[in-house]
Structure formats: structure tokens, C-alpha cells
Amino acid sequence: MVKAKIAIASDISTDKVLKATANGKAVLVAKVGDSYCAIDNKCPHLGLPMAKGKFENGIITCPFHGSKFEICTGKNVEWVDSFAGIPLPGVAKKMMAMGKSPTDAPSFAVTQEGNDLFIEV
Ligand code: FES
């Protein structure tokens, strides 16, 4: 494990995610309440980037098929719900899931030193 700086705390707002790179890994950094959180930018469904997804109330929505994850824990709260923002009916959701079961996204504990934020990867 390597400790890597991911952001400056004053650059993080509560209404959007910041894409950062830590030791070659792309992560998303956000502030939820008084806490800083980080999650893998790769969606566990098909490995596509979630950085351009909607972020609201601590939840990041994958822009490709609508899976939703708590940014502080990585917990999956919705699995394959839409295609490019268009809601899918039940059968289409199953087809779009491509046999993959709901999976949490890797999340990372964020530590703060002064104004700098770090994770271990
Ligand atoms: S790649 Fe994210 S939900 Fe499919």
C-alpha cells in the first residue's frame, strides 16, 4: 500500500465529485457532510468511468447504466437501472446487467493533513 495525495481539501465542494489519480488509480473524491470520501472511478458493472455521473446526497450514479453507489462506503444501492439516462423496464435491466450481480465499488479511507487529502492504494 502506498499513501498518495489525491486532492486539496479546499478544492472539494459538497455538490460535485473531483476526479483524481492515486498511484495510477483513478478515484473520485467528494465531501459528504464533514467527511471526505473516495471511491474507485471504475464502475464494478462493466468497468466504465463514473466521473461524469450525477452526484447527489452522497450517491454517485454511473452515467452508463444507472448503477448507484454510496461514495463514502462504495455500497451499491441500485444496480443497472437505465441506459444513457433512459430508465429500463425489468427484463431490459436483466439483459443490460449481462449476468453480473450487484457489486459494491471499492472505496478508500481519506486522511487529511493540513489542507491535503490522502488515500492508501
Ligand atoms: S458501467 Fe456502470 S452501470 Fe454499467
Side-chain angles (χ1 to χ4, degrees):
M1 297 282 258
V2 175
K3 183 177 173 181
K5 181 178 172 181
I6 52 170
I8 296 171
S10 57
D11 287 346
I12 311 291
S13 66
T14 54
D15 60 347
K16 63 181 179 180
V17 294
L18 180 77
K19 185 178 169 195
T21 303
N23 201 26
K25 174 178 272 305
V27 298
L28 303 177
V29 189
K31 186 174 186 184
V32 180
D34 293 331
S35 301
Y36 293 99
C37 303
I39 192 171
D40 198 328
N41 184 33
K42 268 191 192 173
C43 178
H45 176 223
L46 296 179
L48 299 173
M50 298 195 286
K52 292 191 176 168
K54 180 177 164 190
F55 178 65
E56 194 172 58
N57 298 323
I59 306 284
I60 182 81
T61 300
C62 178
F64 295 94
H65 311 116
S67 291
K68 297 180 181 188
F69 305 89
E70 291 179 357
I71 204 157
C72 290
T73 65
K75 182 177 183 222
N76 174 245
V77 294
E78 183 73 57
W79 187 248
V80 184
D81 187 43
S82 59
F83 179 75
I86 301 167
L88 295 171
V91 171
K93 283 183 192 178
K94 281 190 174 183
M95 289 175 60
M96 189 60 71
M98 299 176 173
K100 296 197 173 195
S101 300
T103 304
D104 295 341
S107 62
F108 306 90
V110 177
T111 56
Q112 183 171 4
E113 294 177 18
N115 202 26
D116 295 332
L117 302 177
F118 299 86
I119 61 171
E120 296 213 0
V121 288

